[in-house]
């Protein structure tokens, strides 16, 4: 009998499929072992052209397709797997995490709930993360795509808790008073976006001034709350920071825990990268008080180096966490046995119904390295930030722009004090940054400190060596000297 025609999408020859897999793994391992290949470089027209190509009616076959894909992705990386990449706040990835992702994709579970290893794995990972950050075991949590969604989920739980069931039944329409959310002027834009998405309108967000350390001013916060109560608005929530995006500042978390309790406000913390300082005994005290918040957002793809994308949100009270999300439906009713036996239903804890086995790459990263080594990578970055700060302070041409609390250093070229200062320091430093990036020396990014343009290094990179910061400082000085003269 002739073979029946096949209608599925599986490989025809599993031996060939395995060989393709091996070759691909060899290839990415070679790529990652080659430092120069991982450097960011500007995209040429030729490189862009390669991404044209119209919709294929007929496939290329597995081998040609994957070969082409590997060429494309490894030829123009964003650069964050290179030791001198410190832009935005970008983690540098782990090999084990990448392989974990392969396993997750191949087993292809929908980790929304139900009886499966994917759900148990996420529960274990959440347990580990709670232990790592000093949260009680009963804390509720869920893996999400990143800090932005984690902020939204934590803040939604807080808003629902403060407003009560009217939030679900009536929504915000007809609330007698305007709810108000407080945060500092240093907040990441995802906080403002969460306020907008929650339907409160941006007028419900009060950004409070910061002190010299760039942490929120408690006196100003108390004043703002009192003023809002006076004027019949409704203070509901404070969003605190363990590591602001601009300068890595940490709010006085312990005092905010006390203030929120006194004022009966929900306390959410954005600890996107800073929360991970709790991983190392050398840096843990810089985020003390964190374990007292009502909800916490943090990333795993930044300072834990799990491949993108992975973040997490904790909510102290499990019922409060579920309240904004849970809805019953006939097709998800729990049964006594079988696939639909009651388990954690992660889809009740966030925005996603269908979910990947995100836990696999987190599990692989933590299980392979252990928290001592991961914590040491965090502490090393903090020491490197202090090293860069010293280099900047020791230079007669560089200026530190903000205090260094954790792993973020903001500075700029200002020229020698005894020589006339270059006219437009903002423009000059923009040019310096672009040249640094395009020449391939290093990739910091930028921000503004009190309106002035600054070079900014956010060091969440397990591959950076101390010498890399010396290379950076020397390059900024010499590019600055040359361009200031021109
Ligand atoms: C990165 C970051 C976010 C957003 O996290 P994503 O993972 O990019 O969504 C929020 N807050 C701070 C302080 C951050 O650094």
């Amino acid at each position: 009998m002739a073979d029946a025609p096949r209608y599925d999408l599986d490989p025809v020859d599993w031996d060939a499929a395995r060989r393709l897999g091996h070759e691909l793994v060899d290839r990415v391992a070679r790529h990652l072992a080659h430092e120069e290949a991982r450097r960011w470089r500007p995209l040429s027209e030729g490189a862009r052209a390669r991404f044209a190509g119209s919709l294929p009616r007929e496939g290329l076959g597995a081998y040609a397709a994957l070969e082409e894909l590997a060429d494309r992705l490894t030829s123009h990386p964003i650069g964050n797997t290179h030791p001198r990449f410190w832009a935005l706040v970008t983690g540098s990835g782990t090999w084990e995490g990448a392989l974990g992702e392969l396993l997750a994709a191949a087993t292809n579970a929908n980790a929304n709930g139900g009886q499966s290893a994917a759900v148990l794995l996420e529960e274990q990972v959440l347990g580990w993360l709670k232990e790592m950050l000093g949260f009680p075991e009963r804390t509720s949590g869920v893996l999400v795509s990143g800090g932005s969604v984690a902020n939204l989920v934590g803040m939604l739980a807080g808003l629902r808790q403060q407003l009560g069931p009217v939030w679900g039944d009536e929504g915000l329409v007809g609330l007698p008073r305007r709810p108000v959310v407080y945060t500092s002027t240093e907040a990441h834009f995802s906080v403002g976006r969460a306020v907008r998405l929650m339907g409160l309108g941006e007028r419900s967000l009060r950004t409070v001034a910061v002190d010299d350390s760039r942490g929120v001013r408690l006196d100003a916060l108390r004043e703002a709350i009192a003023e809002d109560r006076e004027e019949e608005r409704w203070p509901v929530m404070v969003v605190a920071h363990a590591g602001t995006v601009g300068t890595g500042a940490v709010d006085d978390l312990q005092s905010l825990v006390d203030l929120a309790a006194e004022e009966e406000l929900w306390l959410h913390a954005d600890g996107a990268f800073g929360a991970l300082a709790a991983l190392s005994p050398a840096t843990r005290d810089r985020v003390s008080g964190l374990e007292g918040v009502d909800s916490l957002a943090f990333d795993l793809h930044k300072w834990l180096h799990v491949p993108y994308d992975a973040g997490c949100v904790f909510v102290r009270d499990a019922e409060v966490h579920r309240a904004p999300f849970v809805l019953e439906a006939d097709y998800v009713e729990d049964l006594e046995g079988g696939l639909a036996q009651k388990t954690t239903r992660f889809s009740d804890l966030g925005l996603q119904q269908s979910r990947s086995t995100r836990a696999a790459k987190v599990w692989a990263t933590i299980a392979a390295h252990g928290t001592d080594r991961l914590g040491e990578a965090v502490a090393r970055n903090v020491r490197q930030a202090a090293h860069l700060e010293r280099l900047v302070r020791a230079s007669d041409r560089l200026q530190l722009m903000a205090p260094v609390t954790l792993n973020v250093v903001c500075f700029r070229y200002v020229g020698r004090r005894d020589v006339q200062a270059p006219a437009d320091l903002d423009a000059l430093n923009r040019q310096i940054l672009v040249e640094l990036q395009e020449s391939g020396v290093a990739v910091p990014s930028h921000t503004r400190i009190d309106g002035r343009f600054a070079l900014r290094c956010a060091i969440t990179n397990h591959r950076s060596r101390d010498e890399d910061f010396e290379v950076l400082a020397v390059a900024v000085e010499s590019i600055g000297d040359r361009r200031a003269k021109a």
Side-chain angles (χ1 to χ4, degrees):
M1 197 179 78
D3 280 347
R6 294 180 49 129
Y7 297 103
D8 62 47
L9 302 175
D10 278 330
V12 178
D13 175 353
W14 275 105
D15 285 331
R18 283 212 329 269
R19 280 196 301 278
L20 169 60
H22 292 158
E23 274 181 40
L24 203 59
V25 168
D26 282 345
R27 188 165 169 172
V28 285
R30 276 200 305 275
H31 170 73
L32 286 177
H34 184 27
E35 184 174 309
E36 204 38 39
R38 307 193 311 266
R39 197 159 55 73
W40 178 81
R41 55 186 91 70
L43 274 167
S44 64
E45 279 312 308
R48 277 180 205 285
R50 191 157 188 188
F51 290 78
S54 52
L55 177 70
R57 288 286 308 274
E58 264 185 54
L60 299 171
Y63 197 94
L66 271 297
E67 179 87 349
E68 171 66 20
L69 183 61
D71 279 351
R72 289 185 186 197
L73 290 180
T74 57
S75 63
H76 283 279
I78 195 96
N80 56 313
T81 54
H82 189 277
R84 286 195 297 279
F85 187 97
W86 307 299
L88 306 164
V89 190
T90 317
S92 38
T94 64
W95 177 240
E96 299 77 15
L99 295 180
E101 186 84 315
L102 172 64
L103 279 165
T107 50
N108 194 30
N110 184 350
N112 55 8
Q115 299 282 325
S116 86
V119 171
L120 297 179
L121 197 71
E122 183 158 341
E123 285 181 323
Q124 184 179 26
V125 160
L126 290 166
W128 286 354
L129 295 173
K130 291 173 210 169
E131 204 179 321
M132 264 168 47
L133 302 187
F135 277 69
E137 211 180 309
R138 62 175 185 283
T139 307
S140 180
V142 66
L143 297 183
V144 295
S145 57
S148 303
V149 169
N151 277 335
L152 177 60
V153 170
M155 290 169 70
L156 273 169
L159 186 68
R160 162 65 180 77
Q161 171 67 5
Q162 293 290 58
L163 267 50
V166 68
W167 180 85
D169 298 338
E170 303 284 335
L172 302 174
V173 179
L175 279 186
R177 290 176 296 159
R178 170 180 288 278
V180 185
V181 174
Y182 303 85
T183 191
S184 82
T185 50
E186 305 297 292
H188 186 266
F189 70 79
S190 60
V191 173
R193 187 166 54 193
V195 168
R196 202 204 277 166
L197 290 176
M198 292 193 301
L200 294 177
E202 285 175 61
R203 277 174 54 200
S204 288
L205 181 68
R206 272 194 85 156
T207 51
V208 178
V210 292
D211 60 22
D212 291 341
S213 74
R214 306 194 89 80
V216 70
R217 271 180 48 195
L218 295 168
D219 58 338
L221 175 59
R222 281 187 197 283
E223 249 168 57
I225 295 167
E227 184 183 300
D228 285 329
R229 289 202 201 283
E230 186 86 2
E231 293 180 14
E232 303 285 305
R233 289 184 288 264
W234 187 356
V236 289
M237 185 184 320
V238 176
V239 178
H241 290 94
T244 59
V245 62
T247 70
V250 180
D251 290 337
D252 178 348
L253 296 167
Q254 195 53 61
S255 298
L256 286 173
V257 169
D258 297 340
L259 183 151
E262 271 166 44
E263 298 277 357
E264 298 184 346
L265 303 179
W266 182 269
L267 182 59
H268 173 77
D270 178 353
F273 58 95
L276 276 296
L279 245 180
S280 165
T283 51
R284 190 170 298 148
D285 60 346
R286 299 187 195 208
V287 291
S288 60
L290 192 63
E291 60 294 340
V293 303
D294 296 305
S295 55
L296 170 67
F298 59 103
D299 271 312
L300 306 170
H301 52 218
K302 289 180 179 170
W303 229 354
L304 203 68
H305 306 296
V306 170
Y308 282 86
D309 49 15
C312 183
V313 55
F314 288 161
V315 181
R316 185 163 294 283
D317 181 315
E319 279 315 302
V320 173
H321 187 176
R322 274 164 49 88
F325 301 108
V326 69
L327 277 175
E328 294 309 325
D330 296 341
Y331 42 85
V332 292
E333 195 183 322
D334 294 326
L335 302 183
E336 294 307 312
L339 184 66
Q341 263 183 82
K342 190 168 178 55
T343 56
T344 302
R345 212 192 276 163
F346 287 114
S347 48
D348 287 352
L349 302 176
L351 305 164
Q352 281 186 283
Q353 167 66 21
S354 294
R355 310 173 66 247
S356 69
T357 309
R358 221 173 238 135
K361 58 193 175 185
V362 188
W363 193 97
T365 298
I366 298 176
H369 294 287
T371 53
D372 283 355
R373 185 179 291 196
L374 293 166
E376 175 48 30
V378 167
R380 188 167 58 243
N381 285 164
V382 172
R383 287 197 302 273
Q384 289 169 335
H387 179 50
L388 178 56
E389 176 184 358
R390 278 192 299 275
L391 293 170
V392 169
R393 286 187 188 280
S395 165
D396 60 354
R397 283 159 287 167
L398 305 181
Q399 178 187 43
L400 193 71
M401 301 289 282
V404 178
T405 314
L406 279 174
N407 57 332
V408 181
V409 184
C410 294
F411 68 105
R412 65 178 181 169
Y413 177 91
V414 289
R416 291 235 315 268
R417 313 258 187 289
D418 55 344
V419 177
Q420 163 114 37
D424 188 345
L425 285 175
D426 284 359
L428 176 60
N429 280 278
R430 273 197 297 273
Q431 291 166 359
I432 293 172
L433 180 65
V434 170
E435 184 171 334
L436 275 175
Q437 294 177 347
E438 293 191 348
S439 64
V441 173
V443 183
S445 59
H446 59 277
T447 187
R448 283 182 182 275
I449 304 290
D450 300 327
R452 292 178 302 174
F453 189 87
L455 309 177
R456 171 177 163 285
C457 288
I459 312 168
T460 46
N461 191 327
H462 61 78
R463 298 186 181 95
S464 299
R465 302 144 299 209
D466 293 356
E467 314 83 87
D468 290 318
F469 300 95
E470 290 146 30
V471 171
L472 171 72
V474 168
V476 173
E477 286 175 344
S478 65
I479 299 172
D481 288 347
R482 174 165 43 75
R483 288 193 175 260
K485 245 186 267 148

